[in-house]
Amino acid sequence: MVNFQQFWTKKTLVGLGLGQFLSLLITSTGFSSSELAKKGINAPTSQSFLNYVLLTIVYGSVMLYRRQALKAKWYYYVVLGLVDVEANYLVVKAYQYTSITSVMLLDCWSIPSVMLLTYIFLKTKYRYRKIAGVIVCIAGLVMVVFSDVHAGDRSGGSNPRKGDLLVIAGATLYAISNVSEEFLVKNADRVELMSFLGLFGAIISAIQISIIERNELKSIRWTPGAAFPFFGFSLAMFLFYSFVPVLLKMSGSTMLNLSLLTSDMWAVGIRIFAYHEKVDWMYFLAFVAVAVGLIIYSGGDKEDDQCRTSVADEDAERSKHFDEEVGCNNLDHGTMAGSTKTGDTSKDDCTTSTGGREIVSNKNIGKDLQGKKS
């Protein structure tokens, strides 16, 4: 059971709130893409390109103002930019071949992928409580899938196998991107990460647009109805990318991916209140399941922090005790050395005194001989 005294901590509440804010941003990008698709605009790389440009301008300016040396190798950001661009492209592309239900279900592949990658490369250890929270969250999303099937919303798609493979590949790349960002934000710098991800992401996107989406861009009629969702998508993605490193540093990649599961539930809320559509009752049960899973996953943060603090205190105590022992040993050696030096000085003094007596005796003998001669 979750101890609510451990749950009601500032870190946990901020992590949950920030995760839901990011989930709402993802929901808004989904609706923006849906509106663009209804207008016949299918240019996913072009939409992401403006986001990367904004990241480069904003965070690149801050980085130039700081004039600090790089904390990570620049080619790490090249690889990260390539992975991030292609992850966005593959998942959006999958909607052309398979159903939205399959995309939602297979996109969960990023969660076990993130857990495996963080366990191998970042040495993150997951307690049974956190694993249980992940299982509950995924169970909630599976309810959404069955709700779609129950409501008759599932459509096969033109090439389901190809679409499913694209989703799995994109989810894997998302996992690699999130874990890489978690490593860089904890070991390098958030501003450096965002500026270089934006720079290389923009360059790679521009190359890909010139090859794949050049004709699509030429055919777009830039009416207000098309421009608003297009630029709204870019602004939402910019905010999403700006706040993702904060959550990664605070709670990790797994918490980020679990929080994003609720984006489908927020989409249901928008469908109910904005479009006045009816949804299946299982959506609400799924939302509760995902929320409970997030609480279970986040509930052990305070306990983990206390364990880390106690381990750090024990290490500090051992270090202090070791320093005291070393100091005592040095003091003993110093005393012995001082005694030896004092003994040597005493010997020198004795030698000097003896030499002085010999000189005085020689002088007296000389005086006696002179008196006898006279």
Side-chain angles (χ1 to χ4, degrees):
M1 296 297 291
V2 178
N3 188 344
F4 284 94
Q5 290 181 349
Q6 294 177 357
F7 171 70
W8 293 110
T9 61
K10 182 179 178 181
K11 178 183 176 182
T12 302
L13 294 176
V14 171
L16 288 171
L18 183 57
Q20 293 314 296
F21 174 67
L22 294 174
S23 182
L24 283 170
L25 289 175
I26 284 295
T27 304
S28 66
T29 60
F31 274 90
S32 298
S33 298
S34 177
E35 290 296 321
L36 290 172
K38 290 178 181 178
K39 298 180 182 298
I41 301 173
N42 296 303
T45 309
S46 301
Q47 294 171 219
S48 301
F49 173 73
L50 291 179
N51 165 51
Y52 292 124
V53 170
L54 286 174
L55 290 173
T56 305
I57 294 173
V58 175
Y59 291 99
S61 301
V62 175
M63 191 173 175
L64 290 175
Y65 176 78
R66 288 181 175 180
R67 296 183 179 180
Q68 293 179 349
L70 294 181
K71 296 182 179 180
K73 302 295 184 181
W74 63 271
Y75 46 81
Y76 291 161
Y77 297 112
V78 176
V79 177
L80 178 60
L82 177 63
V83 169
D84 195 74
V85 169
E86 299 310 321
N88 289 327
Y89 177 79
L90 289 175
V91 173
V92 175
K93 189 74 174 176
Y95 284 96
Q96 299 179 14
Y97 300 103
T98 190
S99 65
I100 186 172
T101 307
S102 296
V103 174
M104 288 166 55
L105 179 60
L106 294 174
D107 198 36
C108 293
W109 173 251
S110 63
I111 296 173
S113 300
V114 162
M115 296 184 72
L116 179 63
L117 291 172
T118 52
Y119 177 78
I120 295 174
F121 295 105
L122 302 184
K123 308 302 180 184
T124 303
K125 294 182 180 180
Y126 295 98
R127 297 174 180 269
Y128 290 113
R129 177 183 297 171
K130 291 185 178 294
I131 295 174
V134 172
I135 293 173
V136 173
C137 284
I138 294 177
L141 195 65
V142 170
M143 289 182 189
V144 176
V145 175
F146 281 110
S147 176
D148 286 340
V149 174
H150 182 261
D153 292 336
R154 182 179 175 88
S155 57
S158 60
N159 193 343
R161 290 184 180 180
K162 183 177 181 180
D164 292 348
L165 289 175
L166 289 174
V167 177
I168 293 173
T172 304
L173 291 180
Y174 273 137
I176 296 173
S177 175
N178 291 337
V179 174
S180 301
E181 287 183 29
E182 180 180 351
F183 173 79
L184 290 171
V185 79
K186 290 181 178 179
N187 295 276
D189 181 68
R190 184 174 74 93
V191 174
E192 178 180 307
L193 170 63
M194 289 293 97
S195 58
F196 276 95
L197 176 60
L199 175 62
F200 293 116
I203 294 172
I204 295 169
S205 296
I207 295 172
Q208 189 161 308
I209 290 170
S210 64
I211 298 173
I212 300 175
E213 298 180 1
R214 181 175 54 189
N215 294 329
E216 183 67 29
L217 285 177
K218 290 180 180 179
S219 62
I220 296 176
R221 295 182 59 186
W222 292 105
T223 61
F228 181 76
F230 193 90
F231 292 104
F233 175 92
S234 300
L235 179 59
M237 286 296 288
F238 171 74
L239 292 174
F240 177 81
Y241 273 68
S242 298
F243 285 99
V244 159
V246 179
L247 184 59
L248 287 176
K249 190 170 185 177
M250 183 183 302
S251 304
S253 305
T254 306
M255 182 63 180
L256 170 65
N257 284 270
L258 290 175
S259 298
L260 297 183
L261 291 180
T262 58
S263 61
D264 300 308
M265 287 64 173
W266 293 121
V268 171
I270 295 176
R271 285 167 57 185
I272 294 173
F273 295 104
Y275 296 95
H276 304 288
E277 297 180 4
K278 293 182 178 181
V279 296
D280 196 77
W281 61 271
M282 291 186 69
Y283 271 108
F284 303 100
L285 185 60
F287 186 87
V288 173
V290 173
V292 171
L294 287 173
I295 292 173
I296 294 174
Y297 183 87
S298 304
D301 287 344
K302 184 177 180 181
E303 181 181 348
D304 293 340
D305 291 341
Q306 288 175 348
C307 289
R308 294 190 194 100
T309 303
S310 61
V311 170
D313 291 340
E314 289 177 3
D315 292 340
E317 189 66 27
R318 290 195 202 100
S319 179
K320 182 180 179 182
H321 183 66
F322 177 75
D323 292 340
E324 289 177 352
E325 288 182 350
V326 172
C328 291
N329 291 333
N330 290 337
L331 182 60
D332 293 339
H333 287 303
T335 304
M336 292 175 63
S339 301
T340 305
K341 186 175 181 181
T342 305
D344 294 339
T345 307
S346 300
K347 290 180 181 179
D348 292 339
D349 292 341
C350 291
T351 305
T352 305
S353 301
T354 305
R357 291 191 194 100
E358 290 176 354
I359 293 171
V360 172
S361 300
N362 290 335
K363 286 183 179 180
N364 291 333
I365 293 171
K367 288 181 181 179
D368 292 340
L369 289 174
Q370 288 178 357
K372 288 180 181 180
K373 287 182 181 181
S374 59

